[in-house]
Each structure stands twice: as structure tokens, then as C-alpha cells.
Amino acid sequence: MKSWIDVPPDHPFPFQNLPYCAFFSGTTAAVGVGIGDYVLDLSLLFDAGFLPKGVAGNNVFAHPHLNAFMALGRDIWAEVRAALTDLLREDNGALRDDDEFLHKALHKQVDVELLLPVNIGAFVDFYSSERHATNVGSMFRPDNPLMPNWKWLPVGYNGRASSVVASGTPIRRPVGQSLPGKAQEPVFGPCRNLDFELEMGFFTGKENPLGARVGTSEAADYIFGMTLVNDWSARDIQKWEYQPLGPFLAKTFATTISPWVVPMAALEPFRISNPAQIPPPMNYLRCEEDWTFDIELEVALQTEAMRTPQVISRSNYKNMYWNMAQQLAHQCVNGTNVQVGDLYASGTISGDDPSSFGSMLELTWRGEKPIEMTETGETRAFIQDGDTVFLKGYCQGEGYRVGFGEASGTILPASL
């Protein structure tokens, strides 16, 4: 099927995608859906009667975030997507031919401000790419890079939701304690080894009571959609502070996400088999359904002296060992209560080839092999002030592409 809105084959937001966002049009904030270069105001569609009666009560789209809509559940998600698909189909003129309404409801994306799409209650960061975990482990424990628990459970930690920001938000270089070289005492100052982390995340759209578990077979009822995640990392600060309780200041200063949330229905054609897991997971982590997806990912870096970004990494979401359903089931196995709008990040996604590593720590191997910027001849071991990092991702279909937009951030100097 095609839409009456023309979308080129390589555009990230075709008829088959319809990602959700929250946006500000100059007067009000609302929930929107992206198609081509446009965003369609779902709040106005609801008020005009274009959306299904199953979306009952107050206008859940008249908010600066997706939470109220997500909370309606999986059946309503499907109803709204079906209604939008029907309205945007090329042979349906109900919306297409209403010029007066379209003038108010259909905006060019460049004319609106894209907001943080979800009011995030909790943020969890996992560590679920085997190659990434092996790479990092081998730098410090070459004889035994994976910790004994790694293949038994999805390792993760609860991060800080308040510092998750939308793409385009500048990132201030963090400060903290670190232990340089062979120094005997730590020093305080700006992070010297600032890094990006190529990740993806999913949002939950259903709650469970405190004390109740969520099984892998129930995950589809909870997982609303996916987004790009750059979980910035201060490597030198982390190295000093992480023992014995793990990441703290090195990870909480900022996490950048795309303003677009791709619904799971749009990703269904790209679902692929889960990787083999040895040893077999415990019963509560076993999956009857495939929860791995073929999502192409890339990272680009642009210094202040460069005119265009340079791609420095290409990876794929299929490089995950632990999948979303397992991550959610593990988080809840102790009775943790999931909230509508929680964000669960995958952890850095690295492939086997060095060109597919998902962080500067790996790409430059602790800074020992700096990357050359071909346009200017500059080199980068880690991210410097003024540098901008861009994350992109897409699923390639036959004649169309389902994209996730962009997660970008520019580094500002530390504030001392």
C-alpha cells in the first residue's frame, strides 16, 4: 500500500512506519505521528472524530508526551495505528481532501519543536551485547573478559531518568573525580575520556503491581515501541568510582534519545531469530517468541572544523545477546513494578568487526588507536568539546525503510 503523502524509498518515515512523537507547534503541545517530512497532530484528529471510539474519555493526545496514550494498552495501540493507516492510504480522501483541516493538523517537521517524547519515570541501562562486554572485559581482564554472571542474567543498573534529554540538546562535559595514570590520589576536574554509547531502548506502556512478575510471554503487552539511545559515558570518572556499586556520576549526567518512538507493529517484518544462548537461560528468561530485530545502526562524528559528519561505526541491533523480553522479565522477577513510560536501554551494541564497535573506548581501544577525521586530518581518541555525535538507525524493507530519526548532541565545555 501507498500513502497520498509521497515519501521517497530511502526516507526514514514511510507509510509503513508512522512513528510517534510529542511536539510544540508554537501555541500548544501535542502527540503527533510522523510521515515523510511531516508530523500529523493526533490531538486535532481525535477532536475531529478521525480516531476510533475505543480511545475513550479525555483527549489522550492533547499532552506534551505519549504516556496517556501508551497507558490505554495494546488493543488501543493497534486500533489507532489501523485508523491512521486507513486515513493516510492513497485511495482514502477523508483527510486528504479536507484542505482546511490539513492546514491546521499537518505540519512540516522543520516548523515544529520536537520534544522529549515520553515523561520518563525510570531509566534502566543494560549491558547485553556480548561483543561489547567481551571487548571491555578484555581491556582489564584479558584472561577472563566476561564476568561469571554475564551469560546467566541480563546485567544492568537503574540509572537517572531526570537527565534523559531529546536529540539536539547540548551536553555539558561532566566533572568529577578520577585517578590519572599511576597517581596515588584522585584529582577533581573535567572528564578527559568522554565517550558515546550506541544503544537502543524500549518504552513500557503497561504497569504491573509491586510484587508481581512479568514473564517473557507477556512482554508484548508491555513494550510500546523503540527509540535510539546515546548513553554518554565519562570513562575516566567511571573507572575510579564504579567499585563496588557500579556506575554513578559517570553515567547520570546525560542520556540522549531520539524524539521519535517507532511502534513495535512497524518492526514486526524485521523480527529475526534469537541468538543461541549457552548455557540455556533459566526458566523465567526463556523465550518462545523471537525478540531480536534486524536494525541497521550507525554513528557519525563531526568536529567544529568539519563541514559534514563522518561515519565512524556501523552496527546492528541483532548483535544483542539478551533481548527485550528477557530484560523486562529479569527486571521484574524480584517484584519490581513497571510504570508507563519507563525507558530500558540495551547497553552498547557492538559487532564482531572493529568497524562495528559501539563506543570510542572500543573503536580507539582505550585511546591507543585514535580515529582520523578524513576531511580535516584531526584525530579523536575520545570526544572533545565542540564535537557533535549523531546516532541513526533503520530497518530496510523491500522498497521502503523504517527509520528511528536521529539522536544527536554537541559537547559543551565543562562548567567549573
Side-chain angles (χ1 to χ4, degrees):
M1 295 191 296
K2 294 183 180 180
S3 172
W4 46 266
I5 296 178
D6 186 46
V7 182
D10 60 348
H11 197 289
F13 300 153
F15 188 47
Q16 295 88 343
N17 190 350
L18 304 182
Y20 294 104
C21 69
F23 72 99
F24 182 70
S25 61
T27 55
T28 58
V31 172
V33 68
I35 180 164
D37 294 327
Y38 298 91
V39 57
L40 185 61
D41 189 327
L42 298 189
S43 177
L44 293 182
L45 256 66
F46 177 86
D47 287 339
F50 283 112
L51 295 180
K53 294 180 180 179
V55 186
N58 296 327
N59 187 344
V60 296
F61 305 108
H63 296 279
H65 47 70
L66 291 163
N67 296 57
F69 169 48
M70 293 194 300
L72 294 178
R74 189 180 179 191
D75 290 343
I76 299 299
W77 308 341
E79 283 188 42
V80 170
R81 181 172 175 83
L84 291 171
T85 300
D86 184 56
L87 283 170
L88 292 167
R89 203 178 64 239
E90 64 178 343
D91 60 351
N92 188 339
L95 184 59
R96 178 194 64 202
D97 300 336
D98 192 338
D99 292 337
E100 183 179 355
F101 181 79
L102 276 182
H103 180 73
K104 295 183 293 183
L106 191 65
H107 305 272
K108 289 187 176 180
Q109 291 176 25
V110 295
D111 294 334
V112 302
E113 178 187 358
L114 295 173
L115 308 174
L116 192 70
V118 173
N119 184 16
I120 302 169
F123 170 52
V124 179
D125 187 33
F126 285 98
Y127 192 56
S128 294
S129 165
E130 183 176 4
R131 175 48 56 191
H132 172 68
T134 301
N135 285 344
V136 175
S138 67
M139 295 177 189
F140 307 102
R141 302 178 304 276
D143 295 332
N144 190 23
L146 288 181
M147 297 296 283
N149 65 349
W150 199 90
K151 287 200 171 183
W152 286 99
L153 55 83
V155 174
Y157 69 96
N158 289 290
R160 190 166 183 82
S162 63
S163 55
V164 179
V165 297
S167 178
T169 303
I171 306 300
R172 181 73 63 180
R173 180 177 294 272
V175 298
Q177 292 188 26
S178 62
L179 186 68
K182 298 181 179 180
Q184 298 300 307
E185 295 184 352
V187 298
F188 178 83
C191 164
R192 298 183 308 279
N193 298 340
L194 184 58
D195 204 352
F196 68 86
E197 290 187 349
L198 172 60
E199 305 191 25
M200 296 205 70
F202 66 87
F203 287 107
T204 49
K206 182 179 178 179
E207 297 180 349
N208 69 308
L210 183 66
R213 299 180 181 182
V214 175
T216 58
S217 62
E218 302 171 274
D221 292 333
Y222 285 81
I223 299 175
F224 175 79
M226 298 185 70
T227 191
L228 292 168
V229 177
N230 180 355
D231 197 28
W232 302 91
S233 182
R235 299 294 184 187
D236 48 341
I237 295 174
Q238 183 173 349
K239 184 179 178 181
W240 170 242
E241 73 174 6
Y242 84 102
Q243 296 184 22
L245 295 182
F248 189 51
L249 299 182
K251 301 292 295 181
T252 57
F253 63 96
T255 300
T256 299
I257 68 172
S258 169
W260 300 97
V261 182
V262 176
M264 297 311 298
L267 300 176
E268 198 59 39
F270 309 100
R271 193 184 290 265
I272 57 178
S273 299
N274 296 323
Q277 293 180 319
I278 302 174
M282 292 185 181
N283 287 338
Y284 79 95
L285 290 172
R286 292 182 182 174
C287 280
E288 297 297 327
E289 187 177 3
D290 289 326
W291 274 97
T292 303
F293 295 85
D294 185 5
I295 305 172
E296 298 286 351
L297 300 167
E298 73 172 36
V299 182
L301 175 65
Q302 184 175 4
T303 72
E304 288 185 298
M306 295 168 63
R307 292 169 295 179
T308 57
Q310 176 177 322
V311 175
I312 59 174
S313 175
R314 287 189 172 90
S315 189
N316 193 295
Y317 185 74
K318 65 185 179 183
N319 289 315
M320 298 287 291
Y321 185 87
W322 296 104
N323 63 53
M324 288 184 281
Q326 292 173 319
Q327 290 169 341
L328 185 63
H330 184 64
Q331 169 71 94
C332 300
V333 74
N334 68 343
T336 298
N337 55 315
V338 174
Q339 304 168 106
V340 173
D342 287 352
L343 173 62
Y344 293 80
S346 62
T348 306
I349 304 168
S350 296
D352 290 334
D353 190 275
S355 65
S356 66
F357 293 167
S359 66
M360 292 292 281
L361 180 68
E362 298 165 273
L363 289 167
T364 69
W365 209 254
R366 292 184 296 185
E368 297 169 5
K369 302 176 181 179
I371 299 171
E372 181 177 352
M373 302 291 104
T374 55
E375 181 185 331
T376 61
E378 300 169 276
T379 59
R380 287 292 185 271
F382 289 96
I383 308 300
Q384 296 186 12
D385 292 348
D387 291 352
T388 303
V389 178
F390 304 85
L391 270 58
K392 293 184 178 181
Y394 64 89
C395 303
Q396 186 60 55
E398 187 175 344
Y400 70 96
R401 177 175 289 185
V402 171
F404 293 81
E406 179 180 278
S408 67
T410 300
I411 302 302
L412 303 179
S415 180
L416 297 175

